[in-house]
Amino acid sequence: MFWKRTGARRTTVQAAPAPPAPPAPPAPPAHATPAADPVDLWGDRVAPAGLGHHRGKHFTGWVETVKQLKRDGHPDVAADLLMKLLPVVEEEAEFRGWTVAPWYFEQLAIIRRQQHDYAGEVAVLERYGEVNASYGGLGPQLTQRLAKAQALLAARQ
């Protein structure tokens, strides 16, 4: 041991004092914009409660109900339900940045054709084309259906 041989005094080395903590960032003013929407594990925005739901059930859960109503001979009830589901489908698609689900529009158009309501069929298909314009509009099948519905409507008048 060095200190015994040389007679040097044993001293304790002290660490340098810690630097002061940085000041806390200033609080945002009361009029500042709210924080961004919360995100889930995949970085997607968390949907507000009830988005995509009609009467407590997600719109995809109503598919079998619509099919069963059509099978049971209740197209009016199925059409009413589909009319209530269309804005729900559109709202979720807009929130998520997705294309609008065509099944609901197509089924309503089919019911309108069966009821010989060609103006209603044209209106439903045009609505789908408008809300889905940024994703290519109607698509080939619904474009053919729209053309035929317009022809049937013109022939009736």
Side-chain angles (χ1 to χ4, degrees), residues 35-126:
D37 293 335
V39 295
D40 62 11
L41 294 174
W42 297 273
D44 295 330
R45 292 186 317 170
V46 175
L51 181 72
H53 287 72
H54 172 67
R55 297 183 65 182
K57 189 193 284 188
H58 193 264
F59 67 84
T60 56
W62 291 101
V63 170
E64 283 304 316
T65 304
V66 170
K67 289 179 179 180
Q68 189 64 45
L69 286 168
K70 287 173 62 178
R71 278 192 297 265
D72 291 346
H74 302 290
D76 291 335
V77 179
D80 288 342
L81 177 58
L82 286 166
M83 284 300 294
K84 292 175 183 170
L85 290 174
L86 292 185
V88 175
V89 172
E90 293 168 355
E91 182 183 27
E92 181 162 358
E94 181 182 346
F95 176 82
R96 301 209 184 272
W98 296 343
T99 182
V100 179
W103 186 86
Y104 303 88
F105 293 86
E106 185 177 17
Q107 293 305 307
L108 185 55
I110 289 169
I111 292 171
R112 296 291 190 230
R113 169 97 45 101
Q114 290 170 348
Q115 295 172 334
H116 304 287
D117 180 9
Y118 305 122
E121 181 181 6
V122 168
V124 167
L125 293 172
E126 287 177 346

